[in-house]
Amino acid sequence: MTLFRRLLIVEWSGLAVAILLGAAALSFIAPNFLTEFNLYVMLRSLSVGLLVAFAQMVTLGVGQMNIAVGALGGLTAIIFGATMELYGLSLLLAIPVALGIGALGGLINGLLTARTGVNAFIITLATASAFTGINFGITGSIPFYKMPASLVAFGDRHLGAMPYLLVAPLIVALALGVFFSRAAPGRRLLAFGGNPQAAELSGISRERVIVSAHVLSGLLAAAAAVLAVAQLGSAQPTIGADWLLLSFAAPIIGGAALTGGHISVLGTMFAVLLLGLIQNGMVLAKVDPYWVQFVLGALILAAVGLNRWRAINTGIA
């Protein structure tokens, strides 16, 4: 096997090269790119994005989509804030409540999808509207500002350029890597995504797989919401409003198969880093931020085309 063919098989190799070249170019074009403060700001902004990307990656692994990722994150964020500001719940109790809300939302998505047989795209599109309605119905578009000082401080603290916020996504990434590569439940999710009919014939429960994927997706969206509140210092009802495009862009660019059965935790992480690098570079270069959306769309198309080309040229489905 040639070196070129081996690089093709490793889907994140191209992303790693792009990140290195992009960082080198930015350090030359914008000298302040490599400053500790700029790196801290960039990595801090990636912390939430990593969990958002993982939340979508899980459902893509079983061949489904979760359009409600952002809406569920927004609902979780305001309930998280409300339990502390209005009801005086401690931070240690409010976090499990927030994660429980995410899991419950995922459970609703999973059960509706599995038991009705309706495509998850339609189900989560409907629940996204419902979650958003509940969000704004509770808040009246007014944020919750009185967050615990320890939470706000955690959102700002850093060790050099390394923000404390990034620790949680890195732990989650490691756990997901082990879950999908070593744990039987994770392998069953991917087996079902790769070939649902064969998986069911081998004894894998369709309903259990779909529900598990959506519950895990909801948990990750809720974790992203908690970090977003810590990052902003307040529970904003608009949290999650801009998550949807990123949630698809990162896993797809990272090598996830749209038909299910294959995901890459490391590839997704590299994709989030690349997107953050592009966004940070455009800010430093004073490019209109609206062009970021164009770049994201172009990268998704390029990634889908590259993954298809890799499948044809390497025999990887």
Side-chain angles (χ1 to χ4, degrees), residues 9-17 19 46 49-50 53-54 57-58 169-181 190 249-256 262-275:
I9 293 175
V10 182
E11 61 263 276
W12 51 261
S13 58
L15 290 171
V17 171
I19 289 168
L46 298 183
L50 282 168
F54 290 150
M57 182 192 73
V58 170
L170 292 179
I171 294 173
V172 169
L174 180 61
L176 286 175
V178 172
F179 177 71
F180 283 110
S181 63
L190 294 181
I252 292 171
I253 294 170
H262 179 74
I263 58 172
S264 173
V265 175
L266 191 56
T268 300
M269 293 178 68
F270 279 154
V272 172
L273 179 56
L274 177 62
L275 295 174

Side-chain angles (χ1 to χ4, degrees), residues 98 148 154 159 162 196 211 215 219 254 285 295 309:
F154 176 76
L159 183 62
M162 173 72 174
V211 170
V215 168
L219 271 171
V295 172
W309 182 77

Side-chain angles (χ1 to χ4, degrees), residues 205-230:
S205 168
R206 175 180 177 274
E207 179 174 320
R208 184 174 298 176
V209 164
I210 292 174
V211 170
S212 297
H214 281 280
V215 168
L216 183 53
S217 178
L219 271 171
L220 292 168
V226 172
L227 288 192
V229 173

Side-chain angles (χ1 to χ4, degrees), residues 60 75 90 194 280 291 301:
L60 288 173
L75 178 60
S90 69
N280 184 258
W291 282 104
L301 289 175

